mmCIF file of all heavy atoms in Angstrom:
data_model
loop_
_atom_site.group_PDB
_atom_site.id
_atom_site.type_symbol
_atom_site.label_atom_id
_atom_site.label_comp_id
_atom_site.label_asym_id
_atom_site.label_seq_id
_atom_site.Cartn_x
_atom_site.Cartn_y
_atom_site.Cartn_z
ATOM 1 N N ARG N 124 0.830 -1.202 -0.027
ATOM 2 C CA ARG N 124 0.006 0.010 0.018
ATOM 3 C C ARG N 124 0.876 1.237 0.000
ATOM 4 O O ARG N 124 0.575 2.234 -0.695
ATOM 5 C CB ARG N 124 -0.905 -0.009 1.218
ATOM 6 C CG ARG N 124 -1.846 1.199 1.284
ATOM 7 C CD ARG N 124 -2.761 1.154 2.486
ATOM 8 N NE ARG N 124 -3.701 0.041 2.447
ATOM 9 C CZ ARG N 124 -3.598 -1.073 3.141
ATOM 10 N NH1 ARG N 124 -2.559 -1.217 3.972
ATOM 11 N NH2 ARG N 124 -4.480 -2.056 3.008
ATOM 12 N N GLN N 125 1.959 1.226 0.756
ATOM 13 C CA GLN N 125 2.865 2.404 0.819
ATOM 14 C C GLN N 125 3.494 2.658 -0.538
ATOM 15 O O GLN N 125 3.631 3.831 -0.937
ATOM 16 C CB GLN N 125 3.913 2.183 1.887
ATOM 17 C CG GLN N 125 4.902 3.296 2.049
ATOM 18 C CD GLN N 125 4.302 4.585 2.565
ATOM 19 O OE1 GLN N 125 3.204 4.594 3.049
ATOM 20 N NE2 GLN N 125 5.023 5.689 2.404
ATOM 21 N N GLU N 126 3.895 1.604 -1.234
ATOM 22 C CA GLU N 126 4.491 1.770 -2.561
ATOM 23 C C GLU N 126 3.557 2.515 -3.526
ATOM 24 O O GLU N 126 3.992 3.345 -4.291
ATOM 25 C CB GLU N 126 4.814 0.402 -3.149
ATOM 26 C CG GLU N 126 6.124 -0.185 -2.692
ATOM 27 C CD GLU N 126 7.289 0.501 -3.301
ATOM 28 O OE1 GLU N 126 7.358 0.659 -4.541
ATOM 29 O OE2 GLU N 126 8.210 0.919 -2.541
ATOM 30 N N LEU N 127 2.289 2.197 -3.418
ATOM 31 C CA LEU N 127 1.296 2.825 -4.321
ATOM 32 C C LEU N 127 0.822 4.171 -3.802
ATOM 33 O O LEU N 127 0.721 5.128 -4.557
ATOM 34 C CB LEU N 127 0.128 1.872 -4.533
ATOM 35 C CG LEU N 127 0.444 0.589 -5.326
ATOM 36 C CD1 LEU N 127 -0.683 -0.417 -5.219
ATOM 37 C CD2 LEU N 127 0.726 0.936 -6.805
ATOM 38 N N ALA N 128 0.530 4.240 -2.535
ATOM 39 C CA ALA N 128 -0.018 5.464 -1.959
ATOM 40 C C ALA N 128 0.985 6.624 -2.052
ATOM 41 O O ALA N 128 0.568 7.746 -2.352
ATOM 42 C CB ALA N 128 -0.436 5.221 -0.506
ATOM 43 N N ARG N 129 2.245 6.330 -1.827
ATOM 44 C CA ARG N 129 3.217 7.403 -1.907
ATOM 45 C C ARG N 129 3.302 7.960 -3.315
ATOM 46 O O ARG N 129 3.407 9.192 -3.518
ATOM 47 C CB ARG N 129 4.596 6.836 -1.480
ATOM 48 C CG ARG N 129 5.675 7.897 -1.405
ATOM 49 C CD ARG N 129 6.969 7.318 -0.883
ATOM 50 N NE ARG N 129 8.002 8.302 -0.767
ATOM 51 C CZ ARG N 129 9.274 8.067 -0.451
ATOM 52 N NH1 ARG N 129 9.639 6.801 -0.163
ATOM 53 N NH2 ARG N 129 10.164 9.035 -0.347
ATOM 54 N N THR N 130 3.184 7.082 -4.290
ATOM 55 C CA THR N 130 3.228 7.519 -5.709
ATOM 56 C C THR N 130 1.958 8.273 -6.035
ATOM 57 O O THR N 130 2.012 9.295 -6.746
ATOM 58 C CB THR N 130 3.399 6.285 -6.614
ATOM 59 O OG1 THR N 130 4.490 5.493 -6.138
ATOM 60 C CG2 THR N 130 3.692 6.719 -8.040
ATOM 61 N N GLN N 131 0.810 7.773 -5.581
ATOM 62 C CA GLN N 131 -0.449 8.499 -5.799
ATOM 63 C C GLN N 131 -0.371 9.931 -5.303
ATOM 64 O O GLN N 131 -0.756 10.873 -6.013
ATOM 65 C CB GLN N 131 -1.595 7.759 -5.064
ATOM 66 C CG GLN N 131 -2.047 6.440 -5.659
ATOM 67 C CD GLN N 131 -2.854 6.616 -6.904
ATOM 68 O OE1 GLN N 131 -2.320 6.677 -8.010
ATOM 69 N NE2 GLN N 131 -4.198 6.697 -6.782
ATOM 70 N N ASN N 132 0.104 10.113 -4.095
ATOM 71 C CA ASN N 132 0.174 11.433 -3.480
ATOM 72 C C ASN N 132 1.119 12.344 -4.227
ATOM 73 O O ASN N 132 0.834 13.539 -4.415
ATOM 74 C CB ASN N 132 0.569 11.310 -2.013
ATOM 75 C CG ASN N 132 -0.475 10.612 -1.186
ATOM 76 O OD1 ASN N 132 -1.672 10.596 -1.517
ATOM 77 N ND2 ASN N 132 -0.048 9.976 -0.102
ATOM 78 N N ALA N 133 2.246 11.814 -4.686
ATOM 79 C CA ALA N 133 3.203 12.611 -5.415
ATOM 80 C C ALA N 133 2.625 13.063 -6.744
ATOM 81 O O ALA N 133 2.815 14.227 -7.153
ATOM 82 C CB ALA N 133 4.500 11.817 -5.619
ATOM 83 N N ILE N 134 1.968 12.147 -7.443
ATOM 84 C CA ILE N 134 1.341 12.505 -8.738
ATOM 85 C C ILE N 134 0.305 13.576 -8.550
ATOM 86 O O ILE N 134 0.224 14.553 -9.287
ATOM 87 C CB ILE N 134 0.781 11.260 -9.430
ATOM 88 C CG1 ILE N 134 1.864 10.299 -9.801
ATOM 89 C CG2 ILE N 134 -0.048 11.654 -10.650
ATOM 90 C CD1 ILE N 134 1.386 8.950 -10.275
ATOM 91 N N GLU N 135 -0.549 13.420 -7.522
ATOM 92 C CA GLU N 135 -1.606 14.423 -7.247
ATOM 93 C C GLU N 135 -1.015 15.770 -6.902
ATOM 94 O O GLU N 135 -1.513 16.812 -7.363
ATOM 95 C CB GLU N 135 -2.515 13.927 -6.153
ATOM 96 C CG GLU N 135 -3.676 14.875 -5.907
ATOM 97 C CD GLU N 135 -4.606 14.424 -4.796
ATOM 98 O OE1 GLU N 135 -4.065 13.761 -3.852
ATOM 99 O OE2 GLU N 135 -5.793 14.730 -4.822
ATOM 100 N N ARG N 136 0.059 15.769 -6.130
ATOM 101 C CA ARG N 136 0.659 17.031 -5.738
ATOM 102 C C ARG N 136 1.212 17.788 -6.953
ATOM 103 O O ARG N 136 1.151 19.033 -7.003
ATOM 104 C CB ARG N 136 1.810 16.716 -4.755
ATOM 105 C CG ARG N 136 2.410 17.940 -4.118
ATOM 106 C CD ARG N 136 3.292 17.580 -2.916
ATOM 107 N NE ARG N 136 4.368 16.634 -3.288
ATOM 108 C CZ ARG N 136 4.398 15.368 -2.908
ATOM 109 N NH1 ARG N 136 3.410 14.836 -2.166
ATOM 110 N NH2 ARG N 136 5.393 14.564 -3.281
ATOM 111 N N ILE N 137 1.715 17.074 -7.941
ATOM 112 C CA ILE N 137 2.336 17.721 -9.114
ATOM 113 C C ILE N 137 1.321 18.050 -10.183
ATOM 114 O O ILE N 137 1.376 19.120 -10.824
ATOM 115 C CB ILE N 137 3.450 16.823 -9.696
ATOM 116 C CG1 ILE N 137 4.604 16.696 -8.676
ATOM 117 C CG2 ILE N 137 3.976 17.365 -11.011
ATOM 118 C CD1 ILE N 137 5.544 15.561 -8.991
ATOM 119 N N THR N 138 0.363 17.153 -10.404
ATOM 120 C CA THR N 138 -0.578 17.300 -11.536
ATOM 121 C C THR N 138 -1.966 17.765 -11.125
ATOM 122 O O THR N 138 -2.766 18.194 -11.950
ATOM 123 C CB THR N 138 -0.715 16.003 -12.321
ATOM 124 O OG1 THR N 138 -1.434 15.020 -11.506
ATOM 125 C CG2 THR N 138 0.630 15.466 -12.730
ATOM 126 N N GLY N 139 -2.303 17.604 -9.838
ATOM 127 C CA GLY N 139 -3.629 17.934 -9.350
ATOM 128 C C GLY N 139 -4.638 16.826 -9.443
ATOM 129 O O GLY N 139 -5.792 16.953 -9.042
ATOM 130 N N THR N 140 -4.213 15.660 -9.972
ATOM 131 C CA THR N 140 -5.117 14.548 -10.152
ATOM 132 C C THR N 140 -4.471 13.242 -9.711
ATOM 133 O O THR N 140 -3.314 12.983 -10.019
ATOM 134 C CB THR N 140 -5.524 14.426 -11.634
ATOM 135 O OG1 THR N 140 -6.062 15.665 -12.081
ATOM 136 C CG2 THR N 140 -6.565 13.330 -11.814
ATOM 137 N N LYS N 141 -5.255 12.427 -9.009
ATOM 138 C CA LYS N 141 -4.794 11.067 -8.650
ATOM 139 C C LYS N 141 -5.101 10.090 -9.772
ATOM 140 O O LYS N 141 -6.233 10.101 -10.294
ATOM 141 C CB LYS N 141 -5.439 10.600 -7.342
ATOM 142 C CG LYS N 141 -4.770 11.073 -6.113
ATOM 143 C CD LYS N 141 -5.364 10.422 -4.875
ATOM 144 C CE LYS N 141 -4.651 10.852 -3.612
ATOM 145 N NZ LYS N 141 -5.189 10.185 -2.400
ATOM 146 N N PRO N 142 -4.192 9.192 -10.116
ATOM 147 C CA PRO N 142 -4.481 8.211 -11.118
ATOM 148 C C PRO N 142 -5.556 7.208 -10.713
ATOM 149 O O PRO N 142 -5.779 7.003 -9.521
ATOM 150 C CB PRO N 142 -3.127 7.459 -11.274
ATOM 151 C CG PRO N 142 -2.093 8.407 -10.779
ATOM 152 C CD PRO N 142 -2.790 9.173 -9.678
ATOM 153 N N VAL N 143 -6.193 6.601 -11.703
ATOM 154 C CA VAL N 143 -7.145 5.546 -11.440
ATOM 155 C C VAL N 143 -6.626 4.195 -12.027
ATOM 156 O O VAL N 143 -7.300 3.180 -11.912
ATOM 157 C CB VAL N 143 -8.541 5.856 -12.053
ATOM 158 C CG1 VAL N 143 -9.127 7.086 -11.369
ATOM 159 C CG2 VAL N 143 -8.437 6.047 -13.560
ATOM 160 N N LEU N 144 -5.448 4.270 -12.608
ATOM 161 C CA LEU N 144 -4.831 3.066 -13.201
ATOM 162 C C LEU N 144 -3.458 2.839 -12.563
ATOM 163 O O LEU N 144 -2.768 3.774 -12.195
ATOM 164 C CB LEU N 144 -4.650 3.234 -14.703
ATOM 165 C CG LEU N 144 -5.856 3.542 -15.581
ATOM 166 C CD1 LEU N 144 -5.435 3.711 -17.010
ATOM 167 C CD2 LEU N 144 -6.904 2.390 -15.439
ATOM 168 N N MET N 145 -3.076 1.590 -12.489
ATOM 169 C CA MET N 145 -1.689 1.238 -12.067
ATOM 170 C C MET N 145 -1.227 0.045 -12.878
ATOM 171 O O MET N 145 -2.036 -0.677 -13.452
ATOM 172 C CB MET N 145 -1.655 0.924 -10.595
ATOM 173 C CG MET N 145 -2.407 -0.321 -10.133
ATOM 174 S SD MET N 145 -1.540 -1.902 -10.369
ATOM 175 C CE MET N 145 -0.292 -1.817 -9.093
ATOM 176 N N ARG N 146 0.077 -0.118 -12.928
ATOM 177 C CA ARG N 146 0.650 -1.292 -13.556
ATOM 178 C C ARG N 146 1.609 -1.942 -12.535
ATOM 179 O O ARG N 146 2.575 -1.304 -12.121
ATOM 180 C CB ARG N 146 1.392 -0.983 -14.856
ATOM 181 C CG ARG N 146 2.103 -2.194 -15.435
ATOM 182 C CD ARG N 146 2.508 -1.932 -16.880
ATOM 183 N NE ARG N 146 1.374 -2.023 -17.788
ATOM 184 C CZ ARG N 146 1.294 -1.387 -18.965
ATOM 185 N NH1 ARG N 146 2.298 -0.586 -19.345
ATOM 186 N NH2 ARG N 146 0.225 -1.508 -19.730
ATOM 187 N N PRO N 147 1.357 -3.184 -12.129
ATOM 188 C CA PRO N 147 2.249 -3.817 -11.146
ATOM 189 C C PRO N 147 3.595 -4.122 -11.788
ATOM 190 O O PRO N 147 3.646 -4.601 -12.923
ATOM 191 C CB PRO N 147 1.511 -5.097 -10.796
ATOM 192 C CG PRO N 147 0.562 -5.361 -11.934
ATOM 193 C CD PRO N 147 0.204 -4.041 -12.511
ATOM 194 N N PRO N 148 4.682 -3.840 -11.090
ATOM 195 C CA PRO N 148 6.009 -4.176 -11.626
ATOM 196 C C PRO N 148 6.087 -5.650 -12.049
ATOM 197 O O PRO N 148 5.619 -6.525 -11.329
ATOM 198 C CB PRO N 148 6.931 -3.871 -10.448
ATOM 199 C CG PRO N 148 6.243 -2.777 -9.739
ATOM 200 C CD PRO N 148 4.796 -3.105 -9.833
ATOM 201 N N GLU N 149 6.608 -5.859 -13.248
ATOM 202 C CA GLU N 149 6.760 -7.177 -13.865
ATOM 203 C C GLU N 149 5.402 -7.858 -14.099
ATOM 204 O O GLU N 149 5.338 -9.032 -14.401
ATOM 205 C CB GLU N 149 7.620 -8.084 -12.964
ATOM 206 C CG GLU N 149 9.053 -7.559 -12.832
ATOM 207 C CD GLU N 149 9.917 -8.464 -11.995
ATOM 208 O OE1 GLU N 149 9.594 -9.680 -11.831
ATOM 209 O OE2 GLU N 149 10.977 -8.009 -11.515
ATOM 210 N N GLY N 150 4.325 -7.121 -13.938
ATOM 211 C CA GLY N 150 2.981 -7.687 -14.156
ATOM 212 C C GLY N 150 2.550 -8.665 -13.081
ATOM 213 O O GLY N 150 1.614 -9.423 -13.243
ATOM 214 N N ARG N 151 3.230 -8.647 -11.945
ATOM 215 C CA ARG N 151 2.969 -9.622 -10.857
ATOM 216 C C ARG N 151 1.900 -9.119 -9.922
ATOM 217 O O ARG N 151 2.009 -8.039 -9.324
ATOM 218 C CB ARG N 151 4.249 -9.912 -10.097
ATOM 219 C CG ARG N 151 5.313 -10.620 -10.942
ATOM 220 C CD ARG N 151 6.596 -10.798 -10.161
ATOM 221 N NE ARG N 151 7.618 -11.436 -10.991
ATOM 222 C CZ ARG N 151 7.908 -12.703 -10.976
ATOM 223 N NH1 ARG N 151 7.218 -13.532 -10.176
ATOM 224 N NH2 ARG N 151 8.868 -13.214 -11.743
ATOM 225 N N THR N 152 0.821 -9.875 -9.800
ATOM 226 C CA THR N 152 -0.272 -9.477 -8.940
ATOM 227 C C THR N 152 -0.913 -10.694 -8.321
ATOM 228 O O THR N 152 -0.666 -11.830 -8.768
ATOM 229 C CB THR N 152 -1.338 -8.642 -9.706
ATOM 230 O OG1 THR N 152 -2.264 -8.125 -8.794
ATOM 231 C CG2 THR N 152 -2.016 -9.488 -10.784
ATOM 232 N N ASN N 153 -1.730 -10.483 -7.297
ATOM 233 C CA ASN N 153 -2.457 -11.563 -6.658
ATOM 234 C C ASN N 153 -3.615 -10.924 -5.866
ATOM 235 O O ASN N 153 -3.905 -9.751 -6.030
ATOM 236 C CB ASN N 153 -1.514 -12.372 -5.714
ATOM 237 C CG ASN N 153 -0.806 -11.524 -4.677
ATOM 238 O OD1 ASN N 153 -1.240 -10.384 -4.371
ATOM 239 N ND2 ASN N 153 0.304 -12.015 -4.160
ATOM 240 N N ARG N 154 -4.275 -11.730 -5.044
ATOM 241 C CA ARG N 154 -5.424 -11.200 -4.303
ATOM 242 C C ARG N 154 -5.027 -10.056 -3.350
ATOM 243 O O ARG N 154 -5.781 -9.113 -3.197
ATOM 244 C CB ARG N 154 -6.054 -12.341 -3.493
ATOM 245 C CG ARG N 154 -6.865 -13.298 -4.312
ATOM 246 C CD ARG N 154 -7.528 -14.340 -3.431
ATOM 247 N NE ARG N 154 -8.384 -15.260 -4.184
ATOM 248 C CZ ARG N 154 -9.025 -16.273 -3.638
ATOM 249 N NH1 ARG N 154 -8.949 -16.500 -2.351
ATOM 250 N NH2 ARG N 154 -9.769 -17.064 -4.398
ATOM 251 N N LYS N 155 -3.893 -10.181 -2.739
ATOM 252 C CA LYS N 155 -3.446 -9.123 -1.801
ATOM 253 C C LYS N 155 -3.256 -7.831 -2.555
ATOM 254 O O LYS N 155 -3.727 -6.758 -2.110
ATOM 255 C CB LYS N 155 -2.140 -9.535 -1.142
ATOM 256 C CG LYS N 155 -1.471 -8.456 -0.332
ATOM 257 C CD LYS N 155 -0.058 -8.828 0.069
ATOM 258 C CE LYS N 155 0.849 -8.873 -1.186
ATOM 259 N NZ LYS N 155 2.192 -9.386 -0.908
ATOM 260 N N VAL N 156 -2.585 -7.848 -3.704
ATOM 261 C CA VAL N 156 -2.374 -6.660 -4.510
ATOM 262 C C VAL N 156 -3.694 -6.069 -4.995
ATOM 263 O O VAL N 156 -3.909 -4.870 -4.954
ATOM 264 C CB VAL N 156 -1.431 -6.959 -5.685
ATOM 265 C CG1 VAL N 156 -1.277 -5.735 -6.574
ATOM 266 C CG2 VAL N 156 -0.055 -7.429 -5.198
ATOM 267 N N ALA N 157 -4.596 -6.990 -5.406
ATOM 268 C CA ALA N 157 -5.925 -6.517 -5.845
ATOM 269 C C ALA N 157 -6.680 -5.809 -4.742
ATOM 270 O O ALA N 157 -7.340 -4.796 -4.981
ATOM 271 C CB ALA N 157 -6.718 -7.716 -6.385
ATOM 272 N N LYS N 158 -6.555 -6.334 -3.498
ATOM 273 C CA LYS N 158 -7.226 -5.713 -2.372
ATOM 274 C C LYS N 158 -6.688 -4.311 -2.117
ATOM 275 O O LYS N 158 -7.428 -3.347 -1.902
ATOM 276 C CB LYS N 158 -7.054 -6.587 -1.129
ATOM 277 C CG LYS N 158 -7.673 -5.973 0.141
ATOM 278 C CD LYS N 158 -7.349 -6.829 1.356
ATOM 279 C CE LYS N 158 -7.872 -6.177 2.633
ATOM 280 N NZ LYS N 158 -7.514 -7.019 3.825
ATOM 281 N N VAL N 159 -5.354 -4.194 -2.136
ATOM 282 C CA VAL N 159 -4.710 -2.878 -1.917
ATOM 283 C C VAL N 159 -5.150 -1.900 -3.011
ATOM 284 O O VAL N 159 -5.514 -0.761 -2.717
ATOM 285 C CB VAL N 159 -3.197 -3.023 -1.905
ATOM 286 C CG1 VAL N 159 -2.503 -1.667 -1.921
ATOM 287 C CG2 VAL N 159 -2.732 -3.818 -0.696
ATOM 288 N N CYS N 160 -5.132 -2.354 -4.236
ATOM 289 C CA CYS N 160 -5.548 -1.477 -5.346
ATOM 290 C C CYS N 160 -6.999 -1.050 -5.255
ATOM 291 O O CYS N 160 -7.341 0.088 -5.505
ATOM 292 C CB CYS N 160 -5.313 -2.208 -6.682
ATOM 293 S SG CYS N 160 -3.557 -2.379 -7.121
ATOM 294 N N ARG N 161 -7.839 -1.990 -4.846
ATOM 295 C CA ARG N 161 -9.262 -1.702 -4.690
ATOM 296 C C ARG N 161 -9.437 -0.613 -3.634
ATOM 297 O O ARG N 161 -10.211 0.316 -3.833
ATOM 298 C CB ARG N 161 -10.022 -2.969 -4.314
ATOM 299 C CG ARG N 161 -11.539 -2.830 -4.312
ATOM 300 C CD ARG N 161 -12.217 -4.179 -4.344
ATOM 301 N NE ARG N 161 -11.702 -5.085 -3.349
ATOM 302 C CZ ARG N 161 -10.956 -6.179 -3.571
ATOM 303 N NH1 ARG N 161 -10.629 -6.487 -4.823
ATOM 304 N NH2 ARG N 161 -10.569 -6.937 -2.575
ATOM 305 N N ASN N 162 -8.711 -0.705 -2.534
ATOM 306 C CA ASN N 162 -8.844 0.283 -1.473
ATOM 307 C C ASN N 162 -8.307 1.667 -1.880
ATOM 308 O O ASN N 162 -8.745 2.671 -1.359
ATOM 309 C CB ASN N 162 -8.077 -0.213 -0.230
ATOM 310 C CG ASN N 162 -8.738 -1.396 0.425
ATOM 311 O OD1 ASN N 162 -9.951 -1.640 0.227
ATOM 312 N ND2 ASN N 162 -7.988 -2.163 1.194
ATOM 313 N N LEU N 163 -7.331 1.651 -2.812
ATOM 314 C CA LEU N 163 -6.756 2.937 -3.298
ATOM 315 C C LEU N 163 -7.439 3.451 -4.521
ATOM 316 O O LEU N 163 -7.048 4.513 -5.036
ATOM 317 C CB LEU N 163 -5.264 2.728 -3.537
ATOM 318 C CG LEU N 163 -4.365 2.477 -2.325
ATOM 319 C CD1 LEU N 163 -2.957 2.171 -2.767
ATOM 320 C CD2 LEU N 163 -4.380 3.708 -1.384
ATOM 321 N N GLY N 164 -8.451 2.751 -5.021
ATOM 322 C CA GLY N 164 -9.171 3.234 -6.218
ATOM 323 C C GLY N 164 -8.414 3.021 -7.512
ATOM 324 O O GLY N 164 -8.600 3.775 -8.477
ATOM 325 N N LEU N 165 -7.575 1.961 -7.586
ATOM 326 C CA LEU N 165 -6.741 1.742 -8.736
ATOM 327 C C LEU N 165 -7.092 0.450 -9.461
ATOM 328 O O LEU N 165 -7.182 -0.628 -8.852
ATOM 329 C CB LEU N 165 -5.249 1.649 -8.315
ATOM 330 C CG LEU N 165 -4.595 2.959 -7.872
ATOM 331 C CD1 LEU N 165 -3.290 2.660 -7.125
ATOM 332 C CD2 LEU N 165 -4.330 3.841 -9.059
ATOM 333 N N ALA N 166 -7.319 0.543 -10.761
ATOM 334 C CA ALA N 166 -7.467 -0.648 -11.627
ATOM 335 C C ALA N 166 -6.066 -1.065 -12.087
ATOM 336 O O ALA N 166 -5.207 -0.210 -12.286
ATOM 337 C CB ALA N 166 -8.374 -0.301 -12.807
ATOM 338 N N GLN N 167 -5.874 -2.366 -12.267
ATOM 339 C CA GLN N 167 -4.579 -2.878 -12.695
ATOM 340 C C GLN N 167 -4.574 -3.123 -14.196
ATOM 341 O O GLN N 167 -5.528 -3.706 -14.730
ATOM 342 C CB GLN N 167 -4.292 -4.207 -11.973
ATOM 343 C CG GLN N 167 -4.341 -4.069 -10.453
ATOM 344 C CD GLN N 167 -4.061 -5.389 -9.784
ATOM 345 O OE1 GLN N 167 -2.931 -5.865 -9.764
ATOM 346 N NE2 GLN N 167 -5.113 -6.027 -9.231
ATOM 347 N N VAL N 168 -3.500 -2.709 -14.858
ATOM 348 C CA VAL N 168 -3.425 -2.819 -16.312
ATOM 349 C C VAL N 168 -2.183 -3.616 -16.691
ATOM 350 O O VAL N 168 -1.050 -3.256 -16.449
ATOM 351 C CB VAL N 168 -3.326 -1.435 -16.958
ATOM 352 C CG1 VAL N 168 -3.254 -1.551 -18.477
ATOM 353 C CG2 VAL N 168 -4.525 -0.558 -16.544
ATOM 354 N N LEU N 169 -2.416 -4.763 -17.363
ATOM 355 C CA LEU N 169 -1.314 -5.555 -17.907
ATOM 356 C C LEU N 169 -1.177 -5.226 -19.393
ATOM 357 O O LEU N 169 -1.553 -4.168 -19.815
ATOM 358 C CB LEU N 169 -1.559 -7.059 -17.627
ATOM 359 C CG LEU N 169 -1.722 -7.398 -16.110
ATOM 360 C CD1 LEU N 169 -1.785 -8.900 -15.945
ATOM 361 C CD2 LEU N 169 -0.581 -6.838 -15.304
ATOM 362 N N TRP N 170 -0.671 -6.147 -20.169
ATOM 363 C CA TRP N 170 -0.368 -5.846 -21.564
ATOM 364 C C TRP N 170 -0.410 -7.078 -22.436
ATOM 365 O O TRP N 170 -0.451 -8.188 -21.955
ATOM 366 C CB TRP N 170 1.028 -5.184 -21.684
ATOM 367 C CG TRP N 170 2.132 -6.072 -21.173
ATOM 368 C CD1 TRP N 170 2.831 -6.990 -21.860
ATOM 369 C CD2 TRP N 170 2.621 -6.121 -19.811
ATOM 370 N NE1 TRP N 170 3.761 -7.630 -21.051
ATOM 371 C CE2 TRP N 170 3.641 -7.119 -19.791
ATOM 372 C CE3 TRP N 170 2.321 -5.441 -18.630
ATOM 373 C CZ2 TRP N 170 4.342 -7.409 -18.632
ATOM 374 C CZ3 TRP N 170 3.028 -5.757 -17.473
ATOM 375 C CH2 TRP N 170 4.004 -6.715 -17.471
#
């Protein structure tokens, strides 16, 4: 959560808007990551 929340806050501080999308490093995700993203309002995007 800290990895994502810290980035969310920095982006909002600079641009005025919080993202609604994230990409997990290496595309690695699981239920825990999904829960954290859901709580932070982030959808996960792979490729």
Side-chain angles (χ1 to χ4, degrees):
R124 182 180 294 104
Q125 179 65 16
E126 277 287 309
L127 292 168
R129 186 176 181 185
T130 311
Q131 287 286 88
N132 293 336
I134 293 170
E135 183 181 30
R136 187 167 58 250
I137 294 166
T138 68
T140 305
K141 276 188 178 181
V143 296
L144 303 177
M145 65 82 73
R146 175 165 284 154
E149 300 182 18
R151 294 175 182 264
T152 188
N153 56 20
R154 285 184 178 177
K155 172 192 67 186
V156 175
K158 177 184 176 183
V159 170
C160 289
R161 189 162 51 250
N162 291 339
L163 292 174
L165 289 165
Q167 304 180 72
V168 181
L169 302 186
W170 59 90

